[in-house]
Each structure stands twice: as C-alpha cells, then as structure tokens.
Amino acid sequence: MERHVDFPSLRTSLKDQLKAKLSEEITRQSGGNPLVNLGMGAFGYALAEPMINAAVDAYISPAGLKTLMAGSPPEGMGADAGPQAPQLPDTSSSDASVSMAYKTPNLFVVAASDSSNGQTVRFNFERRELVSWKLTSLTLP
C-alpha cells in the first residue's frame, strides 16, 4: 500500500482540513464574537486538536487502513474513543458518481460525488518519477 499512498502527505492534508473545519465551526457557533473565539473557542480547539491528530494518525496508516477495510476501527479508536471514521459518498446508489481528470500533467483527481447530499470527496494523485502515481491528499466536502 505504501507504494500507492504517500501517508505523511495524506495525513498532513487531512489534519489541515479537519482543523480548518473545526475553526470554521467554532467561529460559526460563536456568531463571530471574538471574545467567545478567544475564550471557549480556543479552549475547545485545544481539546479537539490532539483528538484530530490521534484519529488521523490511527486511520491514515497502512495498519489503520487494513483494519478499516476489515470492518473494524483502528486500535484505540473504538466507538467511545473519539472521532469516528469519515463517511464517504455511497457509490453503490444511483445518486453517486465518480469522475476522473488530469488537472495538470502531474496531478490526477478522482472525485466521488453523492448528488443526494451534494458532497464530493476528491482523491488527489501526484506523479512520482515518470509513470508512478501516489495518493497524496484528499479534499473533503
């Protein structure tokens, strides 16, 4: 699996996106009030950031993905251990579609979309050397 996935890049990409979504949610919940953002928002972020890091590190690894594919959460990530696995669009339904395209000569994107909820997950593959490709990031809805 390591031949096809750049795990450090993928983990960094997901952590950055999840932390950005957390910050957006804190700002939304506070109504944009800077005092709330600096107080409880900062406290909430400080509590959630280590959980995001731990969950991404557990799920986005060869062992974590192997365990997920077997239908179980990675070790230490049971039902009461924090964040659950993200739900990808269900491509088995008639509302789902998959598209593929070269964005640049060195970037190939596979997009899985679910028209019932308007969510799309993009799998970004970068060229390595002349003919090798690696999954380097996901773009979450």
Side-chain angles (χ1 to χ4, degrees):
M1 192 173 295
E2 292 91 347
R3 289 184 11 223
H4 303 290
V5 179
D6 181 344
F7 284 103
S9 293
L10 184 57
R11 280 191 292 269
T12 298
S13 165
L14 286 173
K15 286 177 184 180
D16 290 347
Q17 288 181 72
L18 292 172
K19 290 173 188 176
K21 287 188 181 296
L22 175 62
S23 292
E24 290 170 12
E25 183 63 19
I26 288 170
T27 300
R28 188 184 70 73
Q29 297 258 341
S30 71
N33 183 335
L35 294 176
V36 174
N37 283 344
L38 291 174
M40 292 304 290
F43 180 69
Y45 188 90
L47 289 176
E49 184 181 21
M51 292 190 319
I52 290 171
N53 290 336
V56 170
D57 289 343
Y59 284 110
I60 308 302
S61 68
L65 291 179
K66 181 179 177 185
T67 304
L68 281 173
M69 287 188 264
S72 302
E75 192 170 315
M77 289 288 145
D80 58 347
Q84 298 300 306
Q87 296 298 310
L88 298 177
D90 179 7
T91 57
S92 65
S93 75
S94 61
D95 293 336
S97 65
V98 176
S99 63
M100 298 172 270
Y102 285 95
K103 296 299 181 182
T104 70
N106 295 319
L107 177 63
F108 185 75
V109 178
V110 177
S113 300
D114 185 345
S115 61
S116 68
N117 63 16
Q119 294 191 335
T120 300
V121 176
R122 289 179 179 78
F123 299 82
N124 305 303
F125 294 84
E126 290 184 10
R127 185 187 309 270
R128 301 289 164 97
E129 299 168 2
L130 185 59
V131 295
S132 178
W133 293 86
K134 279 196 169 191
L135 176 64
T136 57
S137 66
L138 295 177
T139 305
L140 300 173

